[in-house]
Amino acid sequence: QVQLVESGGGLVQPGGSLRLSCAASGIIFSVNAMNWYRQAPGKQRELVAEISRGGSTNYADSVKGRFTISRDNAKNTVYLQMNSLKPEDPAVYYCMARWVVEYWGQGTQVTVSS
């Protein structure tokens, strides 16, 4: 059974930081590209960051220079370090694993408010 479990979301003030984690099980983690998406109320789900199985990364323009995606294949975990959080960053953040098929986590809520 494939499971992707996100954690690390919460409430943070503007300018603050959060580190999201996504622990995967039931997949061969190292061959999967790993992605973070987010969806805000009333908006479409959008790609935030992706990391290939080789470690190459790609970011949405809106988060470049603020967010960093990384992976630890020994722990079957992908991370999203989010710094300088802005009022436009709140959303449910989802982890997605992609190889032959896509698997999604249940999401973790990020709220930015003073």
Side-chain angles (χ1 to χ4, degrees):
Q1 181 182 1
V2 177
Q3 281 193 313
L4 299 177
V5 181
E6 300 98 334
S7 61
L11 172 64
V12 64
Q13 292 186 342
S17 298
L18 283 173
R19 188 193 195 203
L20 305 183
S21 299
C22 171
S25 60
I27 61 172
I28 306 172
F29 182 81
S30 61
V31 303
N32 279 264
M34 299 300 298
N35 302 262
W36 286 98
Y37 281 76
R38 68 185 180 187
Q39 187 167 21
K43 295 187 177 182
Q44 289 188 330
R45 191 172 295 189
E46 63 174 351
L47 177 66
V48 175
E50 57 187 352
I51 184 166
S52 72
R53 61 183 183 179
S56 299
T57 58
N58 185 44
Y59 297 92
D61 287 343
S62 59
V63 307
K64 281 181 181 176
R66 300 189 297 123
F67 291 10
T68 302
I69 189 171
S70 61
R71 64 190 297 159
D72 186 337
N73 289 343
K75 295 182 178 180
N76 287 359
T77 301
V78 62
Y79 305 97
L80 185 67
Q81 178 67 45
M82 305 187 295
N83 298 328
S84 303
L85 282 159
K86 299 180 178 181
E88 56 262 37
D89 291 321
V92 178
Y93 283 70
Y94 298 91
C95 170
M96 187 267 272
R98 184 181 70 247
W99 184 35
V100 177
V101 296
E102 296 179 355
Y103 296 102
W104 291 84
Q106 292 300 305
T108 185
Q109 178 72 52
V110 171
T111 303
V112 180
S113 176
S114 56

